[in-house]
Amino acid sequence: NAGVMQNPRHLVRRRGQEARLRCSPMKGHSHVYWYRQLPEEGLKFMVYLQKENIIDESGMPKERFSAEFPKEGPSILRIQQVVRGDSAAYFCASSPAGQGAVTEAFFGQGTRLTVV
Amino acid sequence: AQTVTQSQPEMSVQEAETVTLSCTYDTSESNYYLFWYKQPPSRQMILVIRQEAYKQQNATENRFSVNFQKAAKSFSLKISDSQLGDTAMYFCAFMKLYNNNDMRFGAGTRLTVKP
């Protein structure tokens, strides 16, 4: 059973371009979480999705950022018109159950986005 | 809102010795979960140990154990017989029990195990 797969591992974008980060959850997991880690900081929650639904996006900037988790395929975190401040490591985690159930999230290895 | 504080940005320990990493949190919830995650240079987040707030007994996983003080909202991690492979960033995390699985993380403690 492969773990949570994120790609690409490293992504370089020029200011103003779009960044697309992909996350394939563990087999059987239907809940995905995205976190951002700035240098020397902890992970900050961005968004929590289930298949075809955004459950909580309270941690995601209102503009330029969007996330989806379609019925088929990976979850996508999209950042439009990237700026230098978007440079960070973006982690995806998945779990097999959500509300009311305790399952530790399984994390991917992250995508390091560098905006130049 | 829940906050998690790790007051030790960096720590070091000699191989085979014991080290304790501190974590405090703030919440009005009575039922919740606490976690310690390890992030080695590979950047993958690895669960080290988990504590359920309604359990008084401190969780233990081999060389890793916690000191959970619910009234003081403290959740420290003790690593015994430290090994070179324990060198990593360690993150304390809080998760509400009956809500979306919004896991809140501390800023991390960078632990270096010296030979």
Side-chain angles (χ1 to χ4, degrees), chain A residues 9-10 33 35 37 40-43 45 48 56 89 91 97-100 102 104-105 107 109-110 112, chain B residues 33 35 37 39 42-45 47 50 52 91 95 97-108 110:
Chain A
R9 291 289 307 278
H10 301 274
Y33 317 82
Y35 294 84
Q37 184 180 29
E40 306 303 319
E41 293 188 13
L43 281 74
F45 168 78
Y48 165 38
D56 181 359
F91 285 88
Q99 191 163 332
V102 178
E104 64 272 12
F107 283 84
Q109 288 193 291
R112 183 172 295 281
Chain B
Y33 291 84
F35 305 85
Y37 277 89
Q39 187 182 41
S42 67
R43 287 197 286 124
Q44 188 165 9
M45 295 288 284
L47 177 69
R50 179 181 75 187
E52 294 147 347
F91 292 98
M95 187 177 81
L97 178 56
Y98 290 114
N99 206 323
N100 63 69
N101 287 332
D102 176 2
M103 194 178 288
R104 302 283 173 169
F105 288 82
R110 185 180 302 280

Side-chain angles (χ1 to χ4, degrees), chain A residues 32-62:
Chain A
V32 165
Y33 317 82
W34 285 94
Y35 294 84
R36 177 164 62 177
Q37 184 180 29
L38 296 171
E40 306 303 319
E41 293 188 13
L43 281 74
K44 292 193 185 302
F45 168 78
M46 298 182 73
V47 62
Y48 165 38
L49 310 103
Q50 295 178 19
K51 286 280 187 182
E52 300 184 281
N53 283 307
I54 296 175
I55 306 303
D56 181 359
E57 56 183 347
S58 60
M60 201 150 69
K62 293 284 187 284

Side-chain angles (χ1 to χ4, degrees), chain B residues 32-104:
Chain B
Y32 49 86
Y33 291 84
L34 296 162
F35 305 85
W36 278 97
Y37 277 89
K38 169 184 176 181
Q39 187 182 41
S42 67
R43 287 197 286 124
Q44 188 165 9
M45 295 288 284
I46 302 166
L47 177 69
V48 174
I49 200 164
R50 179 181 75 187
Q51 175 78 42
E52 294 147 347
Y54 63 86
K55 288 188 177 179
Q56 292 186 337
Q57 187 173 4
N58 289 323
T60 299
E61 287 288 339
N62 301 314
R63 298 183 295 108
F64 298 88
S65 61
V66 298
N67 183 6
F68 174 47
Q69 302 290 327
K70 191 172 184 178
K73 295 181 183 175
S74 170
F75 183 60
S76 61
L77 174 70
K78 185 172 82 171
I79 306 174
S80 304
D81 186 25
S82 297
Q83 300 176 0
L84 296 178
D86 295 334
T87 293
M89 283 288 287
Y90 285 82
F91 292 98
C92 178
F94 170 100
M95 187 177 81
K96 282 193 261 187
L97 178 56
Y98 290 114
N99 206 323
N100 63 69
N101 287 332
D102 176 2
M103 194 178 288
R104 302 283 173 169

